[in-house]
Amino acid sequence: PISKAYRRALGGFGTGVALIAADDAQGRSHGMIINSLTSVSLHPPIVLWCLANTSNAFPVFTGCKAFSVNILRSEDEAVAQQFSRKGDRILPPEQICRMETGAPVLDGALASLDCRMRLRQPMGDHEVIYGDVVAYRAEHGVDALGFFRGQYVTLKSGEPGGS
């Protein structure tokens, strides 16, 4: 098992909080919270995120052809808590919309990236998932939800109109 000291060390790296969303084989939309999002390339636009092999959502997110990355607003802590727990991670239809790929996209997210599955790569106890960003949208002047040392925090926008 991973040591507490190692987890504390990693917790010193503050991150944003995003909800990944995809449909399962029956067409139900699932959401899951991550903080492992990385921009890999701007030309072409590619992102990656990491999924634990032990996640009960593993079959959904490794079996999908498309997914969305939804960066949460500072006031979305309840959403983050709900979709970071094990168990039911079904997104209610009234909370989603669709963009180019048809993957579920969280309505009201600070920013959303609509991605086509590009590559999955096993790495340690995780699967690294790469996506080609085919569409996106973003709000400006809005604070983001962050995670630092085991706590949710507000990441200030620094733009006019931000708090």
Side-chain angles (χ1 to χ4, degrees):
I2 190 165
S3 77
K4 287 183 184 180
Y6 183 64
R7 289 182 69 91
R8 272 195 307 275
L10 291 175
F13 181 66
T15 67
V17 179
L19 181 136
I20 301 292
D23 289 332
D24 65 17
Q26 290 75 40
R28 293 173 301 195
S29 299
H30 294 254
M32 184 179 75
I33 296 300
I34 63 153
N35 61 4
S36 59
L37 179 64
T38 300
S39 171
V40 175
S41 171
L42 295 177
H43 304 287
I46 301 169
V47 295
L48 74 75
W49 60 282
C50 301
L51 175 65
N53 295 338
T54 57
S55 171
N56 63 342
F58 192 87
V60 172
F61 293 103
T62 58
C64 67
K65 292 185 179 358
F67 59 88
S68 68
V69 177
N70 302 277
I71 299 167
L72 298 185
R73 298 169 178 262
S74 60
E75 62 266 21
D76 289 335
E77 185 175 331
V79 172
Q81 289 176 345
Q82 175 186 354
F83 288 95
S84 61
R85 293 189 290 260
K86 288 193 184 276
D88 184 12
R89 293 183 173 156
I90 303 296
L91 283 163
E94 64 273 9
Q95 290 183 6
I96 62 170
C97 62
R98 309 273 174 173
M99 294 171 73
E100 191 172 317
T101 68
V105 174
L106 183 66
D107 265 339
L110 173 69
S112 296
L113 308 173
D114 186 22
C115 302
R116 236 180 238 110
M117 180 69 76
R118 180 187 215 11
L119 173 71
R120 292 182 16 237
Q121 184 176 37
M123 188 64 59
D125 59 0
H126 280 67
E127 189 90 357
V128 181
I129 297 175
Y130 296 82
D132 292 313
V133 180
V134 298
Y136 59 89
R137 65 174 190 197
E139 297 288 327
H140 298 282
V142 178
D143 296 337
L145 185 63
F147 198 72
F148 180 67
R149 296 204 168 134
Q151 301 289 318
Y152 289 108
V153 297
T154 296
L155 303 174
K156 297 290 186 183
S157 75
E159 295 180 13
S163 35

